[in-house]
Amino acid sequence: MMPPSIGKVIRDIWRHKGRSVLVILSLTLGILTSGIALFIGTVLTEDLNAQFRERNPHDFRIRTVSTFPEEFAATLEKNNRGATISARSCTIQRYVSPSGAKIIANAYVFRDIAGTGVDSLRDGGSRPIRMNPKKGECLFERSTKEDVALSIGDGVSFERLDGAIITLTFAGYAHDLTTEPYALDGDLSVYMLPETLALLQDDASPNEIR
């Protein structure tokens, strides 16, 4: 015997056929739309992740206590087929802000900033940097833009170990995906050529591989 509640539901559906059909169609359409949206979201997420992995492959960073020959990275790359390995120098410098505050800066030194491999720097946006800064010029990581607020051509001061203040020329912002943002790390990231680091009387020999 059919329960009274089920019988009432069937009678109501039968008495109001038009409204019942609209309700059923609305539910069907809602479920179908939700399924399509979920499917599209899944496909887009997988596609975006694939593109990100393609443009920004997993990398490693090893910083040594002492420096090593520049040929060391090329030897590692040759012995590890399919891997892109580059060498660079990282030294600790003291940036002197216009207010006189001294901020720790990681100075990354490249022979060819525009031609770096896995460490490809971008021009503050998405385009790879195509020209090296000149001697006496430096780039700042773009996460410092709000706090440092420099304009191209501005003088930026660094304090050498002997206390002398050396002024370099700000040449623009770079986007480096391999460094921690300034707001999280608290240290500046600066990029320059070995000839520029020599003005700060520091060694530009490589001490980091990626």
Side-chain angles (χ1 to χ4, degrees):
M1 184 176 178
M2 184 182 298
S5 57
I6 296 180
K8 184 178 185 306
V9 170
I10 293 175
R11 287 194 301 271
D12 289 343
I13 292 175
W14 187 254
R15 288 174 182 173
H16 307 283
K17 299 181 184 67
R19 185 173 63 183
S20 300
V21 170
L22 288 176
V23 170
I24 293 172
L25 288 176
S26 298
L27 290 173
T28 303
L29 183 61
I31 294 172
L32 182 62
T33 303
S34 299
I36 293 175
L38 182 61
F39 174 74
I40 293 175
T42 302
V43 171
L44 288 177
T45 300
E46 292 178 354
D47 187 53
L48 288 174
N49 288 336
Q51 290 183 28
F52 181 84
R53 287 192 297 270
E54 182 180 349
R55 294 186 61 184
N56 307 289
H58 293 295
D59 68 326
F60 67 91
R61 177 174 63 184
I62 300 176
R63 186 175 299 172
T64 59
V65 176
S66 58
T67 59
F68 52 82
E70 292 185 15
E71 298 78 15
F72 181 59
T75 303
L76 287 178
E77 188 172 77
K78 182 178 179 181
N79 294 333
N80 293 271
R81 297 178 181 177
T84 301
I85 300 175
S86 60
R88 68 181 183 183
S89 170
C90 179
T91 64
I92 306 300
Q93 304 296 330
R94 282 191 290 272
Y95 166 71
V96 182
S97 71
S99 65
K102 298 178 181 179
I103 304 173
I104 296 297
N106 295 308
Y108 296 102
V109 181
F110 299 88
R111 289 291 177 189
D112 182 13
I113 293 178
T116 54
V118 71
D119 296 330
S120 181
L121 295 177
R122 306 191 183 278
D123 60 358
S126 59
R127 295 172 299 179
I129 291 175
R130 302 191 183 280
M131 294 184 63
N132 285 321
K134 299 176 182 178
K135 178 182 178 181
E137 295 180 340
C138 63
L139 304 169
F140 275 57
E141 214 289 317
R142 72 171 187 177
S143 62
T144 65
K145 191 172 184 178
E146 297 297 327
D147 297 278
V148 179
L150 293 170
S151 299
I152 294 178
D154 286 351
V156 288
S157 299
F158 291 88
E159 183 183 49
R160 291 195 318 208
L161 291 177
D162 61 3
I165 302 297
I166 303 299
T167 301
L168 305 179
T169 301
F170 175 69
Y173 290 102
H175 182 201
D176 186 358
L177 292 172
T178 65
T179 62
E180 291 287 340
Y182 175 65
L184 297 179
D185 188 45
D187 293 343
L188 298 172
S189 293
V190 186
Y191 308 89
M192 61 185 68
L193 297 177
E195 295 80 5
T196 303
L197 185 65
L199 300 175
L200 302 177
Q201 295 184 345
D202 213 331
D203 185 8
S205 299
N207 64 346
E208 184 177 286
I209 57 175
R210 288 175 178 258

